[in-house]
Amino acid sequence: MLEDVERWLSTRSWSVEDRPLKKLIAAKRATGSTVSVVLPALNEEETVGEIVAIIRRELMTRKVPLVDEIVVIDSGSTDRTSEVAAEAGARVVHRDEILPRLPAVPGKGEVLWRSLLVTRGDIVAFVDADLKEFSADFVSGIVGPLLTEPGVDLVKAMYDRPLGSAAGQGGRVTELMARPLLNMHWPQLAGFVQPLGGEYAARRSLLEQLPFPVGYGVELGMLVDALHLVGLDALAQVDVGVRKHRHQDGQALGRMSAAIYRTAQLRLARGHMIRPSLTQFERGENGFEPRTYSVDMEERPPMAEIEEYVERKAA
């Protein structure tokens, strides 16, 4: 392993237990920072309510005022995601209501990008809405270093990811696609345990300078771009335990991998894909039938370049 990665692992990898809530609240008051939590959600009625309720109960009280706002961005759910989230105490905003002059496109990155326009926190924490057996440590863990370490700008959660009853077998796209790409092309990022994890926090001052791939490539793209913008020592990770969530099937993971590869390719060469699509096969009545999917090709510009965002900051 690279010497600077080994050094980084010893100085920028922590456990949630390293920063008790009492210490975080004191640091938050001392710095005057505000914290927003964003949950991107699409048909997550089974889990989103509990996540919101736990955050409100454990991190938004008079005794523990760590989080200032929790916002669920609904990207077109057809179930009761919005109702459940609102009943649990979140502010719910529909993706299409944010920056309506730019028609929204499908994708997680699109939702995260738009969330910057409807949140106020100096620190923004992103948490996936499909987590099961959720712990408030997921939020306090990733927010902690941003409150106590002035030189840290982005923090990723790290955790075990079981696949069914098999420990550590989750994160298949990470192991088969993202980790090899990072090790070969951006070896300084090789120390991240969960580079594609959906739980991470960053300073707004960094997020507003980053382009956002609209789809599944957003996490890898953000890490690579942040590395170039602020350097390795401004990035960190915190162990928050175990992450349980809904797993996708192999073909969905293939499409995710294609989007991640495309994100990496653009950052390597800023070129164009020869064929921006992915063909997969499913067995039908007449044997294996091809199904072709387009690969996300769009990225949103840094939010600092969006007129409405600049006007809101000036207001």
Side-chain angles (χ1 to χ4, degrees), residues 134-175:
F134 178 77
S135 166
D137 288 350
F138 275 75
V139 175
S140 61
I142 58 179
V143 167
L146 295 167
L147 294 172
T148 63
E149 306 290 334
V152 171
D153 290 330
L154 184 150
V155 182
K156 297 280 292 188
M158 56 177 167
Y159 31 65
D160 293 318
R161 294 184 66 180
L163 180 61
S165 59
Q169 295 302 307
R172 290 162 287 174
V173 175
T174 293
E175 300 303 330

Side-chain angles (χ1 to χ4, degrees), residues 207-230:
L207 292 172
E208 65 187 15
Q209 297 181 67
L210 298 176
F212 276 61
V214 298
Y216 286 121
V218 63
E219 276 85 19
L220 183 135
M222 190 177 294
L223 263 188
V224 171
D225 293 339
L227 174 67
H228 290 298
L229 192 62
V230 295

